[in-house]
Amino acid sequence: MSQAHERPTLEAVARLAGVSRATVSRVVNGSPKVAEPIRSAVRRAVEELGYIPNAAARSLVTQRTDSIALVLPESASRVFSDDPFFPSIIHGVSQELDAADKQLVLMMTNTVAGYERVERYTTARHVDGVLFASTHGVDPLPGQLARLGVPVVVTGRPLGRSAVPYVDVDHVGGVRAAVRHLLETGHSRIATIAGPQDMVAGIDRLAGYRAELRGSDRRSIVAVGDFTRESGATAMRQLLEDDPLLDAVFVASDLMAHGAITTLRELGRRIPEDVAVVGFDDFDISRYTDPPLTTVRQPILELGRELARQLLRVIAGEEVPAAVVLPTELVVRASA
Amino acid sequence: MSQAHERPTLEAVARLAGVSRATVSRVVNGSPKVAEPIRSAVRRAVEELGYIPNAAARSLVTQRTDSIALVLPESASRVFSDDPFFPSIIHGVSQELDAADKQLVLMMTNTVAGYERVERYTTARHVDGVLFASTHGVDPLPGQLARLGVPVVVTGRPLGRSAVPYVDVDHVGGVRAAVRHLLETGHSRIATIAGPQDMVAGIDRLAGYRAELRGSDRRSIVAVGDFTRESGATAMRQLLEDDPLLDAVFVASDLMAHGAITTLRELGRRIPEDVAVVGFDDFDISRYTDPPLTTVRQPILELGRELARQLLRVIAGEEVPAAVVLPTELVVRASA
DNA sequence: TCTCATCCTGAAAGCGCTCTCACGTGCGGC
DNA sequence: GCCGCACGTGAGAGCGCTTTCAGGATGAGA
């Protein structure tokens, strides 16, 4: 099938250049202690043979693999088709790793077996470090790996205590700005559709809503969804049963906000005249809903990039902060 | 930082089990020619030490890496946030590779430098095979790699001739079904918003439209977009200028269809009463547009899975068909 | 009882690379 | 003119694994 199975080795280059393997290795790895004429002779030989170092051999001795794993949780499977969160994370991580010339190994653990594979793979040091785009519950794996000495960084403040550095966005700040906006624009009955309360994003966003409302004399009206569009639609219905006179709703995700808008439409409420709606995420689609959605933007791409950057620092042995929190920002459009 | 740098080696297991390295290796790799008592003794030692084979060392001798690369083109960068195509491909590929216990190395080449990296990386046999989710133009890299003996499979019928096996969906069949539906429901002026004509998806879908219309006495009315929402909106406007009386439009992607719907709305046309709209893709969001979009479903997840399966076959040395074409299906909703 | 095939097992040779040492050179300083 | 010191370079020892090959047991057949 191929004539190229015979890839040139260091040995071959060394012979052609008339030097030793050690010298070729030095040149290839940019060691400064090789005299110029020899250096260029080696370069020429490398060029001529199209020599490319064998990664396996190199890893074997250096103990580095120059690749890092990004682990996506079980739910990614479901979430993938509709929610740009994971794609954006991947994209951000990829950008940063590309720049650092590291490989991205993607692991989706949608089964128990998968979880085990991840564990095996990562503890076996097949990668230099592990990134968790973990959003759900309390995952023991990151801490476990960290304890084994594997560099680890996760997205999202871990529930429970954890010594693993994380990168997250300022959920509370963003939500407070959103609710404040609602208050300032004269709304008095402000409800919320919260996210799942086993996820930090769900918990923190609800906390932000409560915190901001506490400063006013408004009472809180809460329904809980699971970040899907359907759950948003259902929750909205429930909210309106609880308080038919509510005039605003902060929805903890754009997808749920879309669902809520659908419900509001069906029930004949005008947006924002009858009910103002604010989402959270600022997905691309939210610009195209009717009306365009006022929402809290979280920098997901940047989250991915920062995630990768932190891990690269850990791998390099630098100190990293226990937490990096990226700012969120209220984007006012027509829905509130 | 860690006490675990000392991972057990074959040697350690061998000592503990009182056998040679060779025997441990055989047990670990499931060779049948090890007597039962010894086999279980080794198993116990492996268990006790938590032994995990070192991938680099193994690769070095076996010449396999058990990982495969998925290369996403430049445009992925732009496309990622809004278009579930790539995420679904990734997801499908990942599922299949997980099952085969292979690692997925993701490479996004958004720069010329990136392209070179991909080339270096893949020709260096750091992976057992390469998948291209290539959709754009004529990419020489797949063919080049194939010629070097690297197993390669691509998505989408390659433009120009190519010896590389590919997996694609039945664009023409799906489009014809869509246009036929439009004809059968009594539409007489059926326009199309085509995709970019340097992409197979764009070309084939336009061809399908033309082919089906040729059987009727209707004339074709064509505008071209680039698969983005914005371009769909613009193209729709143009189409209406060309023929204000058109009563149906087949749009070559759901995203463009959403754009087209926006335009139709703005211009006061009712859907489907005044203008029927059919899309192509069946993205999740299309179920939630107003009205829900009639569209041609292409099985993207399955495309990814099939892609991976084909590559695994190539790697295993099996014969694979030059092309696998997956069926598409018209999904009738309210917009046509 | 001897031969021979059969079945396991271990010794050892690498896979391609990095990196420590030791070993020349060539030079300045005394 | 000799010593010592940089400075470069090469020899060689592995990194942890697989796999060939040879050889020791074992049991069947004669």
Side-chain angles (χ1 to χ4, degrees):
Chain A
M1 183 188 235
S2 141
Q3 71 288 33
H5 274 181
E6 285 298 327
R7 299 211 61 78
T9 69
L10 252 202
E11 182 68 46
V13 177
R15 255 199 320 267
L16 180 59
V19 299
S20 72
R21 299 208 313 279
T23 299
V24 177
S25 175
R26 287 193 190 98
V27 172
V28 169
N29 293 292
S31 156
K33 36 186 16 183
V34 176
E36 191 42 59
I38 296 210
R39 176 186 304 276
S40 53
V42 170
R43 287 255 173 70
R44 226 174 302 122
V46 165
E47 193 67 28
E48 182 169 333
L49 294 174
Y51 169 74
I52 298 171
N54 177 316
R58 178 179 279 174
S59 298
L60 187 55
V61 30
T62 60
Q63 308 276 38
R64 287 179 302 102
T65 61
D66 286 330
S67 62
I68 75 108
L70 171 59
V71 180
L72 304 181
E74 174 174 0
S75 52
S77 170
R78 202 193 64 212
V79 148
F80 232 125
S81 54
D82 209 9
D83 184 334
F85 183 81
F86 289 104
S88 289
I89 291 283
I90 295 175
H91 194 199
V93 167
S94 167
Q95 284 185 357
E96 215 56 40
L97 293 185
D98 273 15
D101 219 15
K102 305 280 185 221
Q103 288 314 315
L104 204 202
V105 176
L106 205 61
M107 315 196 75
M108 311 210 206
T109 124
N110 37 13
T111 58
V112 177
Y115 187 92
E116 209 170 274
R117 270 191 345 104
V118 171
E119 186 174 355
R120 272 212 336 269
Y121 190 77
T122 52
T123 61
R125 317 241 156 196
H126 293 187
V127 289
D128 296 342
V130 185
L131 254 21
F132 283 84
S134 175
T135 55
H136 245 300
V138 185
D139 190 341
L141 192 48
Q144 205 169 300
L145 291 179
R147 241 168 288 123
L148 285 169
V150 178
V152 175
V153 179
V154 307
T155 64
R157 180 169 59 79
L159 290 173
R161 66 229 135 304
S162 155
V164 178
Y166 70 87
V167 181
D168 205 350
V169 302
D170 180 13
H171 298 285
V172 171
V175 174
R176 294 193 68 151
V179 176
R180 200 176 315 128
H181 172 73
L182 255 12
L183 286 167
E184 287 169 0
T185 47
H187 298 276
S188 57
R189 297 192 173 203
I190 304 174
T192 190
I193 298 177
Q197 294 301 299
D198 63 338
M199 291 171 68
V200 184
I203 294 169
D204 283 9
R205 291 175 200 171
L206 180 54
Y209 164 83
R210 290 224 154 97
E212 190 64 27
L213 232 46
R214 202 172 300 128
S216 73
D217 54 346
R218 312 304 198 290
R219 68 188 184 84
S220 59
I221 313 167
V222 180
V224 176
D226 64 1
F227 283 152
T228 62
R229 202 172 333 236
E230 292 71 23
S231 75
T234 309
M236 191 67 238
R237 199 161 279 121
Q238 194 182 310
L239 243 25
L240 286 170
E241 279 172 20
D242 292 354
D243 183 350
L245 296 177
L246 63 83
D247 58 5
V249 57
F250 164 72
V251 190
S253 86
D254 277 11
L255 242 36
M256 290 201 298
H258 299 160
I261 287 175
T262 307
T263 295
L264 288 168
R265 272 273 151 56
E266 286 172 12
L267 299 180
R269 313 284 174 121
R270 290 167 305 161
I271 303 167
E273 294 83 353
D274 299 331
V275 179
V277 178
V278 181
F280 193 109
D281 278 331
D282 194 23
F283 289 164
D284 277 11
I285 18 174
S286 300
R287 253 180 298 179
Y288 301 98
T289 50
D290 179 24
L293 189 65
T294 293
T295 188
V296 179
R297 171 178 303 155
Q298 56 169 339
I300 308 183
L301 187 79
E302 184 56 28
L303 184 64
R305 301 189 60 160
E306 190 57 37
L307 195 64
R309 272 185 235 124
Q310 292 301 318
L311 184 64
L312 291 174
R313 285 194 194 110
V314 175
I315 292 173
E318 300 172 28
E319 281 299 316
V320 300
V324 173
V325 177
L326 304 177
T328 49
E329 172 197 7
L330 181 66
V331 180
V332 178
R333 298 205 181 92
S335 73
Chain B
M1 185 189 236
S2 142
Q3 71 289 31
H5 275 181
E6 284 299 328
R7 299 211 60 80
T9 68
L10 252 202
E11 181 69 45
V13 177
R15 257 198 319 267
L16 180 60
V19 299
S20 71
R21 302 208 311 278
T23 299
V24 177
S25 174
R26 283 193 267 265
V27 172
V28 169
N29 292 292
S31 157
K33 37 186 16 181
V34 176
E36 191 43 59
I38 295 209
R39 175 186 306 274
S40 52
V42 171
R43 286 254 173 72
R44 228 174 302 123
V46 166
E47 193 67 27
E48 182 170 335
L49 294 174
Y51 169 72
I52 299 171
N54 176 315
R58 178 178 280 173
S59 297
L60 187 54
V61 30
T62 59
Q63 309 277 36
R64 286 179 302 102
T65 62
D66 286 330
S67 61
I68 76 108
L70 171 58
V71 181
L72 304 181
E74 174 173 1
S75 52
S77 172
R78 201 193 65 212
V79 146
F80 231 125
S81 54
D82 209 10
D83 184 334
F85 184 80
F86 289 105
S88 288
I89 291 282
I90 295 176
H91 193 198
V93 167
S94 167
Q95 283 185 357
E96 215 56 41
L97 293 184
D98 273 15
D101 219 15
K102 305 281 186 217
Q103 289 313 315
L104 203 201
V105 177
L106 204 62
M107 315 195 75
M108 313 212 206
T109 124
N110 34 15
T111 58
V112 176
Y115 188 91
E116 209 170 273
R117 272 192 341 105
V118 169
E119 185 173 356
R120 273 216 331 271
Y121 190 77
T122 52
T123 60
R125 316 241 157 197
H126 293 188
V127 290
D128 296 343
V130 184
L131 253 21
F132 284 84
S134 175
T135 56
H136 246 299
V138 185
D139 190 341
L141 192 48
Q144 205 168 301
L145 290 179
R147 241 168 287 122
L148 283 169
V150 178
V152 175
V153 179
V154 307
T155 64
R157 181 169 59 80
L159 289 174
R161 66 227 134 307
S162 154
V164 177
Y166 69 88
V167 181
D168 204 350
V169 302
D170 181 13
H171 299 284
V172 172
V175 174
R176 295 193 68 150
V179 176
R180 199 177 316 127
H181 172 72
L182 255 13
L183 285 167
E184 286 169 1
T185 47
H187 298 276
S188 56
R189 298 190 171 205
I190 304 174
T192 190
I193 298 177
Q197 294 300 300
D198 63 339
M199 292 171 69
V200 183
I203 295 168
D204 282 9
R205 291 175 199 170
L206 179 54
Y209 163 83
R210 289 224 155 95
E212 190 64 25
L213 231 47
R214 202 171 300 129
S216 72
D217 53 348
R218 313 306 199 289
R219 66 187 185 85
S220 59
I221 314 166
V222 180
V224 176
D226 65 1
F227 283 153
T228 63
R229 203 173 329 239
E230 292 70 23
S231 75
T234 309
M236 191 66 238
R237 199 160 277 121
Q238 192 181 312
L239 243 26
L240 287 170
E241 279 170 22
D242 292 355
D243 183 351
L245 296 177
L246 62 82
D247 59 3
V249 56
F250 163 73
V251 190
S253 86
D254 276 11
L255 243 36
M256 292 201 297
H258 298 160
I261 287 176
T262 307
T263 295
L264 288 168
R265 272 276 151 56
E266 287 171 10
L267 300 180
R269 313 284 174 121
R270 290 167 307 162
I271 304 167
E273 293 83 354
D274 300 331
V275 179
V277 178
V278 181
F280 194 109
D281 277 331
D282 195 24
F283 288 165
D284 276 12
I285 20 175
S286 300
R287 252 180 300 178
Y288 301 97
T289 50
D290 181 23
L293 189 65
T294 292
T295 187
V296 179
R297 171 178 303 154
Q298 56 170 340
I300 308 183
L301 187 79
E302 185 56 28
L303 183 63
R305 301 188 59 160
E306 190 57 37
L307 194 64
R309 271 186 236 123
Q310 291 301 318
L311 183 64
L312 291 173
R313 287 199 192 107
V314 175
I315 292 173
E318 298 172 28
E319 281 299 316
V320 300
V324 173
V325 178
L326 303 177
T328 49
E329 173 197 5
L330 180 67
V331 179
V332 179
R333 298 206 182 92
S335 73

